[in-house]
């Protein structure tokens, strides 16, 4: 998503074809594998290098539908297991005066395909706001001073704020089902956290994050991102996100227009927190300021919902007591 989305367009796992059934069960054969009727489905699979013979269709008689191909493509770049990457070889070296040619393979190709598909299919819009994060930093300091054995990060607090905002604006915790022409709002928030790793941009997912406290979120964030960077997070921990949080401020930048992590509908990004002049009660003061940006799928909502979500997040950052009041 610009990005950490955080966090490959390949199925995380291909169901194995069951062994032949005994004669007594011959009347109930296993569904067909790789059966395709629609030329649209064939073209979609061909364009995205999906092996149709490896898919089991959910249509009548095991026919592979467009939704089955899209489900295989719905994985994030992080969903390519380590075994699918080509063995590491010597880095490409160009002779003097010649261009350096780097093959687009493995996870790098998966990321490219994923982001290209997002830009191609999603009519995205980005809105942003500058926020005084002084109070949020003070709140974090108080929490960590009271419980030094259970530290809470700024990202964990921002995640907790986003979860509260998604309860108010569930339109952004959704995806567009293009085949059936419908919007699907998810019952739970499966929070993706964009993370830069040696393997590329990954998005580990915290399932049902709305059930977690800020302290629990902090622990889960630390565990999942560490596992993603170490390459030990299983594909199930990198799939099925419904909303992504991207802290691009760690790269020392203020703003971004992130690419949505397809098929999600929104992504919130946070820039670096820096000292800036800010007007407080009519007086100029130096405050800790950051920029929040929200990129959203305009098909799931209009600007009023997106603006309301972002304003609620900003208000909670500036006045953390509002978050407590809504928990």
């Amino acid at each position: 998503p610009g990005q950490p989305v955080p966090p490959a367009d390949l199925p995380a796992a291909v169901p194995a074809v069951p062994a032949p059934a005994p004669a007594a069960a011959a009347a109930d054969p296993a569904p067909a594998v790789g059966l395709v009727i629609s030329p649209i489905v064939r073209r979609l699979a061909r364009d995205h290098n999906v092996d149709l013979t490896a898919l089991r269709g959910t249509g009548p008689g095991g026919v592979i539908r467009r939704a089955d191909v899209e489900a295989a493509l719905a994985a994030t770049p992080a969903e390519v297991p380590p075994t699918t990457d080509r063995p590491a070889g010597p880095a490409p070296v160009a002779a003097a005066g010649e261009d350096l040619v780097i093959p687009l393979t493995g996870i790098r190709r998966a990321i490219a395909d994923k982001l290209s598909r997002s830009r191609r299919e999603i009519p995205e819009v980005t809105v942003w706001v500058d926020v005084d994060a002084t109070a949020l930093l003070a709140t974090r300091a108080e929490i960590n001073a009271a419980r030094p054995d259970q530290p809470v990060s700024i990202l964990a607090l921002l995640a907790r704020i986003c979860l509260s905002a998604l309860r108010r604006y569930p339109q952004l915790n959704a995806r567009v089902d293009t085949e059936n022409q419908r919007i699907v709002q998810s019952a739970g928030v499966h929070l993706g956290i964009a993370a830069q790793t040696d393997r590329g941009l990954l998005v580990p997912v915290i399932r049902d994050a709305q059930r977690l406290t800020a302290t629990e979120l902090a622990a889960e964030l630390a565990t999942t991102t560490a596992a993603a960077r170490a390459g030990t997070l299983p594909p199930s921990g990198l799939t099925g996100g419904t909303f992504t949080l991207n802290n691009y401020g760690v790269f020392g930048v203020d703003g971004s227009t992130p690419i949505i992590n397809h098929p999600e509908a929104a992504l919130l990004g946070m820039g670096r927190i820096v000292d800036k002049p800010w007007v407080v009660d009519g007086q100029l003061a130096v405050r800790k300021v950051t920029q929040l940006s929200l990129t959203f799928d305009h098909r799931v909502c209009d600007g009023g919902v997106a603006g309301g979500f972002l304003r609620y997040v900003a208000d909670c950052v500036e006045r953390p007591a509002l978050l407590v009041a809504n928990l």
Side-chain angles (χ1 to χ4, degrees):
Q3 309 312 8
V5 125
D9 291 347
L10 296 173
V14 177
V17 179
D28 187 20
V33 175
L35 178 60
V36 183
I37 296 177
S38 170
I40 296 177
V41 172
R42 289 187 182 279
R43 184 169 63 251
L44 179 64
R46 182 176 64 250
D47 291 346
H48 295 279
N49 299 310
V50 174
D51 182 6
L52 290 172
T53 63
L55 298 183
R56 190 183 303 282
T58 60
V63 171
I64 295 176
R65 304 181 303 139
R66 178 171 179 171
D68 299 321
V69 177
E70 290 182 338
L73 293 173
T76 67
E79 291 161 24
V80 179
T83 54
T84 63
D85 280 333
R86 294 185 176 183
V93 178
E98 293 185 359
D99 294 340
L100 176 63
V101 178
I102 303 173
L104 193 60
T105 59
I107 198 167
R108 192 72 256 163
R109 176 176 177 177
I111 292 173
D113 289 345
K114 184 78 170 182
L115 299 181
S116 295
R117 185 184 184 196
S118 179
R119 272 288 162 87
R120 185 170 59 248
E121 294 186 9
I122 299 177
E124 62 186 22
V125 179
T126 299
V127 292
W128 59 89
V129 63
D130 289 338
V131 180
D132 179 2
T134 306
L136 187 67
L137 289 172
T139 299
R140 180 207 176 198
E142 290 183 16
I143 293 173
N144 291 347
R147 296 190 298 180
D149 58 325
Q150 295 179 301
V152 172
S153 64
I154 286 295
L155 189 61
L157 291 176
L158 184 61
R160 185 60 261 178
I161 291 171
C162 286
L163 293 167
S164 179
L166 288 171
R167 186 173 62 182
R168 287 189 166 213
Y169 300 95
Q171 300 94 324
L172 294 171
N173 189 49
R175 62 181 173 83
V176 175
D177 180 353
T178 54
E179 181 175 13
N180 296 303
Q181 290 297 295
R182 61 184 183 177
I183 297 171
V184 180
Q185 289 186 14
S186 299
V189 181
H190 307 313
L191 185 65
I193 304 296
Q196 191 66 46
T197 75
D198 292 340
R199 296 181 60 223
L201 184 63
L202 308 182
V203 188
V205 176
I206 299 176
R207 308 244 171 224
D208 292 312
Q210 78 281 358
R211 300 178 180 176
L212 304 179
T213 65
T215 300
E216 292 168 337
L217 279 169
E220 284 293 321
L221 282 170
T223 300
T224 55
T225 54
R229 291 190 174 103
T232 59
L233 199 64
S236 60
L238 298 160
T239 60
T242 61
F243 183 90
T244 294
L245 189 56
N246 182 353
N247 179 18
Y248 45 76
V250 297
F251 302 118
V253 299
D254 297 322
S256 173
T257 55
I259 298 176
I260 293 174
N261 187 24
H262 186 282
E264 298 170 19
L267 180 154
L268 183 88
M270 182 177 81
R272 61 177 180 162
I273 301 175
V274 295
D275 290 340
K276 286 187 177 182
W278 197 263
V279 176
V280 180
D281 297 329
Q283 300 295 319
L284 194 62
V286 176
R287 307 288 283 184
K288 301 292 186 181
V289 178
T290 186
Q291 184 183 96
L292 301 176
S293 62
L294 175 71
T295 299
F296 68 98
D297 186 338
H298 217 320
R299 296 173 297 178
V300 305
C301 69
D302 296 323
V305 168
F309 174 93
L310 185 58
R311 189 63 256 171
Y312 177 82
V313 171
D315 289 344
C316 287
V317 168
E318 294 186 334
R319 293 179 289 168
L322 292 178
L323 175 63
V324 177
N326 288 284
L327 288 180

